[in-house]
Amino acid sequence: MSEGSTMKVLRYHPPGGPDKLQYAEEPIPSDLKHGEMLIRVAAVGIIWTELYWPIYQKQDGSYVTHIPGHDFSGTVEKTGPGFERSEERRVGKEC
């Protein structure tokens, strides 16, 4: 991933189900904070709880959009402070 470019995302715009998933292009994060990493995702699974949990609803009744997919595998592209260099740069398990 090159600095200043964009990445493809599948963003969820609640409330609703899978019909509220929309593809978009967003800037690649460049300023990673302590303990964060940028991962090029190879495979992702989205489960129903990511679309129907009430945690994405604010107290005022509005909703927070987000990028679902906490079950994934991919390659570490960049790390923020707090990580030691490792030759193994893959995360998750590809089946």
Side-chain angles (χ1 to χ4, degrees):
M1 291 185 192
S2 61
E3 292 291 326
S5 58
T6 60
M7 62 183 181
K8 294 180 181 176
V9 300
L10 183 62
R11 185 168 285 282
Y12 175 56
H13 297 269
D19 59 317
K20 298 296 184 168
L21 292 166
Q22 297 176 355
Y23 282 106
E25 291 217 4
E26 296 187 7
I28 294 173
S30 59
D31 58 338
L32 299 178
K33 297 173 184 63
H34 183 81
E36 292 183 335
M37 64 175 59
L38 181 64
I39 300 170
R40 181 182 299 271
V41 175
V44 64
I46 299 173
I47 60 175
W48 71 272
T49 55
E50 295 179 85
L51 304 182
Y52 296 105
W53 273 357
I55 61 171
Y56 301 113
Q57 186 171 15
K58 298 179 187 177
Q59 288 185 335
D60 66 4
S62 64
Y63 289 86
V64 177
T65 68
H66 64 281
I67 300 171
H70 59 261
D71 295 325
F72 64 91
S73 65
T75 305
V76 176
E77 293 286 327
K78 184 177 176 183
T79 60
F83 286 98
E84 292 185 24
R85 178 88 174 138
S86 169
E87 292 305 315
E88 181 63 46
R89 305 298 286 180
R90 292 179 293 152
V91 292
K93 182 177 180 183
E94 294 182 32
C95 299

